[in-house]
Amino acid sequence: MADTNEITMNILLLGKTKSGKSSLGNSLLGSYEFESQFFPYSLTTECRLCRIRIPQFARRMGKELCLKLQVLDTPGSPHSSLTQEEVKYKIKRALSQQFAEGLHMALLVLRADIPLYYKSPTQLFLSIQDLLGPNWIYFTTVIFTHGDQLHEAQIKEDEYIRSAPKTVSSLLEKVHNRYIFRDPLDRTLRGERAILASRLLDYVRQNSYQTLQTV
C-alpha cells in the first residue's frame, strides 16, 4: 500500500440475475451508484466500477485509517440480452482493466429465499473457477440477500444453513464458511455499509491483505 494510513479493498460482485448484486453494491458504497430497480429484464449489461473513501474507518498503531472501497458490479447470468460467454468475457476484461493489482474479495450473491440448485456442487465450483482461477476459494465470500424474509418466517440463520441444499452447504465449506446474511431493514445505507465493510475487512485481514491475481 502506497499510503500506510489507507487500506484498499477491491471487491467484485458476482451472482445470478435479480440476486441483488447492484443493491448490495449501493450498500457497500453507502449511496445509490448502481441502478437497482424491479424490471422484467436484466438491468446491468456492462461492468461498472465505483469507488469511495471512508475516513477514520479504523485505527492502527495509534493512527486513524482510511478505507478505500473499490466495488465492481457485473452483469448476472442467465442474462436477458447477453450470452453466458459474453458475460464471462465482460467480467474477465473488467477485472484485468480495473483490478490489475489483484482482487481482495469476490462476493457471490445468493438469494436466501430462492435455493441455489445445480446438478452438482462441482458444476458451480467449475463455473467460478473458470472465471477467477483455482485459488478462488480463498478470496470468495457468500452474501445471502433477502435475509429479512428469514426473520419474517422466524427462521434463524444457523437453521437456514443446516437445512440448505447440498450445493449451498458444499459451497460454504469450500469457501471456509465465509458468509454474511444481508438484512437492511431499519438501517441506513451508511449504517449497513459500516457492518458489511467491517466483516469483509476481517476476511481480507485473514488473507494478510493478499490479492487474487485473475489475469
Side-chain angles (χ1 to χ4, degrees):
M1 291 177 289
D3 184 351
T4 57
N5 293 328
E6 180 177 272
I7 300 174
T8 297
M9 283 202 301
N10 294 336
I11 303 296
L12 172 69
L13 304 180
L14 295 174
K16 288 182 173 292
T17 296
K18 303 301 179 184
S19 61
K21 296 187 308 300
S22 298
S23 176
L24 173 64
N26 288 335
S27 291
L28 284 168
L29 296 165
S31 59
Y32 295 99
E33 302 294 336
F34 301 120
E35 189 172 11
S36 176
Q37 302 178 49
F38 175 78
F39 280 100
Y41 54 85
S42 304
L43 276 177
T44 305
T45 58
E46 297 290 341
C47 297
R48 183 184 172 203
L49 180 73
C50 286
R51 303 179 177 89
I52 190 171
R53 279 183 169 84
I54 310 173
Q56 301 178 347
F57 184 81
R59 292 182 65 85
R60 181 172 59 192
M61 303 294 290
K63 295 182 179 180
E64 298 286 351
L65 290 178
C66 172
L67 177 63
K68 179 183 177 183
L69 270 177
Q70 301 193 129
V71 182
L72 182 62
D73 193 18
T74 64
S77 179
H79 199 279
S80 61
S81 60
L82 299 171
T83 67
Q84 188 169 348
E85 284 301 312
E86 287 173 327
V87 169
K88 183 174 73 172
Y89 172 77
K90 287 175 181 284
I91 296 175
K92 280 182 169 289
R93 182 181 60 181
L95 282 170
S96 63
Q97 292 175 342
Q98 305 293 356
F99 293 156
E101 69 276 24
L103 174 69
H104 288 97
M105 194 61 61
L107 306 186
L108 182 57
V109 184
L110 306 179
R111 288 187 57 154
D113 60 333
I114 301 179
L116 179 66
Y117 290 114
Y118 278 79
K119 290 182 179 178
S120 71
T122 303
Q123 180 186 0
L124 172 61
F125 301 156
L126 289 177
S127 66
I128 303 174
Q129 181 168 310
D130 185 41
L131 191 63
L132 300 179
N135 291 325
W136 68 272
I137 59 176
Y138 306 108
F139 296 89
T140 299
T141 296
V142 175
I143 306 290
F144 291 104
T145 58
H146 297 74
D148 53 305
Q149 297 197 29
L150 295 186
H151 293 171
E152 292 177 8
Q154 297 183 335
I155 299 175
K156 295 181 179 179
E157 294 177 1
D158 57 344
E159 294 175 7
Y160 178 90
I161 296 299
R162 285 198 301 270
S163 61
K166 176 64 175 177
T167 305
V168 174
S169 58
S170 297
L171 172 62
L172 295 181
E173 181 179 352
K174 200 78 169 176
V175 300
H176 308 284
N177 287 309
R178 285 189 302 271
Y179 66 87
I180 300 172
F181 279 87
R182 185 188 173 211
D183 182 3
L185 290 181
D186 301 323
R187 292 176 185 156
T188 63
L189 275 179
R190 292 192 177 187
E192 190 183 10
R193 179 184 69 186
I195 294 171
L196 291 171
S198 292
R199 292 284 300 277
L200 293 176
L201 184 56
D202 284 342
Y203 292 145
V204 170
R205 281 173 174 153
Q206 290 171 20
N207 282 343
S208 301
Y209 300 99
Q210 296 180 74
T211 58
L212 174 66
Q213 300 299 319
T214 59
V215 294

